[in-house]
Amino acid sequence: MADLVYPPVVGICRTAFKAMDLRIDLKGQEHVPRRGGAVLVSNHISYLDFVFCGYAARPAKRFVRFMTKDSVFRHRVSGPLLRAMRHIPVDRAQGGQAFSHALRALRSGEVVGVFPEATISQSFTLKSFKSGAARLAQQAGVPLLPMAVWGTQRIWTKGRPRDFGRNHLPITMRLGAPVPTGDGAVDGPPAEGAHEDAEKLTERLKARIQELLEAAQGAYPDRPRGPGDDWWQPAHLGGSAPAPGV
């Protein structure tokens, strides 16, 4: 099926990035496969994370089909766009339908995007991960692609006003090497993921994303300008973001 809507939406987003003069630092994009299915898994700190995760797959000429709560699909503007871009609605009361939809997409060679925390972390630290991404990758026989984003919370996050001004904000993204699932998803010895249950695989995936998040935070060029500007830094880095668990 031809993508008639996704490319112009990507173009609009890139134009917006330029208008905001965002300083995007992306590393690890070579890990996104040029063909075949994969589950792209990222931390979640902003309403715009899906935009930046999708941007990270563009050097590989891939479009990411994100699993997104179904309420967004009911919006009169976003709904038609999301359906045309073939994103996947998730009704938490009927999660099996979304899982089957995502599994079909993966088996047909698509990249599916998942935020395993299932909601924005207001502490900007990793919340507990749900195991759906690991189970999808195992059943489809595709790799898990770990990713971390940092700085997106400064544009638009839960409980804060949006800031789409020309503020030269840095956005740092790091992608890691595929995490094997033990089902032939990647080349190499099967020992690391062989016959591993989804919960243990999820723990390993979370540890990889934590490493990438720390790398992104370490490379981030900005620091809070003062006490009133430290809201976007987690408490363990000296900021005033809420404590983990929020």
Side-chain angles (χ1 to χ4, degrees):
M1 184 186 302
D3 277 292
L4 301 178
V5 175
Y6 217 136
V9 170
V10 170
I12 291 170
C13 290
R14 294 183 68 175
T15 300
F17 293 169
K18 290 180 180 179
M20 297 167 66
D21 196 27
L22 298 180
R23 293 177 282 155
I24 296 178
D25 174 13
L26 170 62
K27 288 185 172 59
Q29 61 267 38
E30 69 275 8
H31 295 303
V32 180
R34 293 277 175 170
R35 60 183 62 85
V39 182
L40 178 66
V41 188
S42 175
N43 65 317
H44 198 12
I45 55 175
S46 164
Y47 291 113
L48 299 178
D49 289 336
F50 73 98
V51 176
F52 291 98
C53 290
Y55 177 91
R58 291 307 300 138
K61 302 186 185 321
R62 303 302 302 270
F63 293 118
V64 183
R65 318 299 176 178
F66 287 96
M67 300 187 74
T68 308
K69 60 183 180 181
D70 65 337
S71 61
V72 186
F73 284 79
R74 294 195 294 269
H75 190 276
R76 62 186 180 87
V77 176
S78 63
L81 279 174
L82 292 174
R83 283 188 287 273
M85 296 165 73
R86 288 187 275 153
H87 295 307
I88 301 169
V90 179
D91 181 350
R92 291 179 183 174
Q94 298 178 326
Q97 185 174 356
F99 188 92
S100 297
H101 186 167
L103 197 57
R104 288 194 301 272
L106 290 167
R107 286 172 173 165
S108 68
E110 298 279 10
V111 177
V112 171
V114 178
F115 297 106
E117 296 165 280
T119 187
I120 289 173
S121 169
Q122 292 180 264
S123 68
F124 310 131
T125 61
L126 295 185
K127 299 168 71 72
S128 62
F129 277 27
K130 298 186 181 300
S131 63
R135 290 187 291 112
L136 276 172
Q138 287 178 320
Q139 290 191 34
V142 301
L144 289 158
L145 299 176
M147 179 174 178
V149 295
W150 190 248
T152 60
Q153 74 273 34
R154 299 177 69 187
I155 301 174
W156 189 15
T157 193
K158 187 179 291 186
R160 300 288 306 187
R162 290 170 287 187
D163 184 359
F164 294 133
R166 190 175 175 83
N167 296 322
H168 318 290
L169 294 178
I171 303 295
T172 304
M173 295 177 279
R174 296 290 183 266
L175 286 109
V179 176
T181 65
D183 291 310
V186 294
D187 294 332
E192 185 178 6
H195 309 298
E196 186 174 17
D197 68 48
E199 296 297 336
K200 289 183 179 178
L201 179 56
T202 299
E203 290 175 8
R204 191 155 54 84
L205 174 66
K206 183 179 179 181
R208 294 278 184 94
I209 293 177
Q210 179 64 41
E211 292 172 359
L212 293 168
L213 178 58
E214 291 174 4
Q217 291 168 334
Y220 198 70
D222 275 11
R223 295 293 180 267
R225 293 184 294 269
D229 186 50
D230 62 356
W231 63 268
W232 54 271
Q233 283 277 47
H236 74 277
L237 292 181
S240 61
V246 177

